Amino acid sequence: MAVLVKILQLILALTLLVIVHEFGHFIAARIFKTRVEKFYIFFNPRFSIFRCKKVHGRWCFAFFSKNVPDKFITHEHIDPITNKKSYTYEAIDLKSLPEDDWRTEEETTEFGIGWVPLGGYCSIAGMIDESMNLGQMQQEPQPWEFRSKPAWQRLIVMVGGVVMNVVLAYFIYTGLLISQGEQYLPTSEVNRYGIMTDSLGRELGFRDGDKIISIDGNHVEKFYDITMEILLDNPEYVEVERDGSRVQIMIPEDAVEKLVKHQSQFISFRIPFVIGDFVAGSAAKEAGMQKGDVIIMVEDIYTPYYNMFTEQIKQFAGEQINVTALRGTDTLQFDVKLSNDAKLGVYAHNILEYKTQDYSFAEAIPQGFKKTGKELSDYWKQLKIVFNPQNKAYESLGGFITIGSIFPDTFNWIQFWRLTAFLSIILAVMNILPIPALDGGHVLFLLYEIITRRKPSDKFMEIAQSVGLVILLGLLIIANGNDILRLFR
């Protein structure tokens, strides 16, 4: 059931993002009086679940209908000597079609829902895109086609989708700031007890109990920003307080590579082991322990912090042990029979206090811009790391399984909107990459045209589009292949 909830959230989020993205192209095209032939949610090879179109002033609808040739019939030719394939396109005489045939109405857009829930598309007349509608491109350009418009108008049409994704992220972030505020764990709160480190943290020079003072001399207010700043901003040093003295930890040049391979937080907060609750049949509860007790020792080993206790207790799996705890001003001892997996059967209570920054409507507007800008900047930096072969970050790329896994097991609207805004940022950044078949590829060629006043030929655009599709297919294979490999690790 949890997997189904994740899948449904992923499909809902991606559907919303694609609609908004394609609407950006749609509305920009219509502003410049460019025809949009189709606007589809999901892809529709061979048939569509639903489609509608205004034909001669009347809305027409169709359900579970098979696709028909739009305006051209494709003829394949094979050279008898070289066996090479070539294609010619025969234009359909629209006047010979019945008056109620949807193809006879060329000025309106066909809206529809496909059956492959992986995105959607907006088919703009006279544009070489992923639909590869070459039949139309072999005809004489018409004034209402994309290719007939000035380069600056075509540029606006192409960036319309990316802009709309950024706008959507902004409105979501702003709405969340107004309704929920911003909750975070202050670094100062973590410094009450210091950090705990794993093997990578110790390798980089951090130690349990260190208190983070600054990164390159700059204080970091939010604790969970520390790892990202080290990963993305390449700082020279982190200053910590250790045993009452200030120490500079120099960050090695290969830190990014190690962090990418690590794929988890290398530092975290540490807290005293305060019992928050018990599981059913808890051995600790049967021994007489209560909520609020603070565990400080196992056998004769001093364990003032939760991580120290969980590390030491592993050696006593299945044994009867003595546990020392504080209850108010009293020091108590309990004989506890551990389970075979060395568990007491208790939940630790996180006593650290999270801070919530509330925003009024007026305050949230500029803060929404700031947050959207930071998310864009951070994700762009992450992409640069991914495409750096020295880091081998491409091994951490994930496909639909990875994206779906970030959604919670149960539906929560607040979390859903946060993740949707984040995915909208990802979609915007990925689409603006200068790869043919993406919006960024079209933008690159349009900028070339504006600067040089030379328009790339249709043949070049066809080849570039094909190359781009191969690149995208390769990225999809790598990303989803990584997902599959992780399932078997």
Side-chain angles (χ1 to χ4, degrees), residues 75-79 82-87:
H75 299 285
E76 180 181 277
H77 307 280
I78 302 177
D79 190 294
T82 63
N83 285 327
K84 288 186 176 180
K85 293 182 180 180
S86 61
Y87 301 90

Side-chain angles (χ1 to χ4, degrees), residues 24-34 153 156-157:
H25 294 309
F26 175 86
I27 195 65
R30 298 306 297 148
I31 287 173
F32 297 121
K33 302 186 185 307
T34 304
Q153 292 186 6
I156 292 175
V157 172

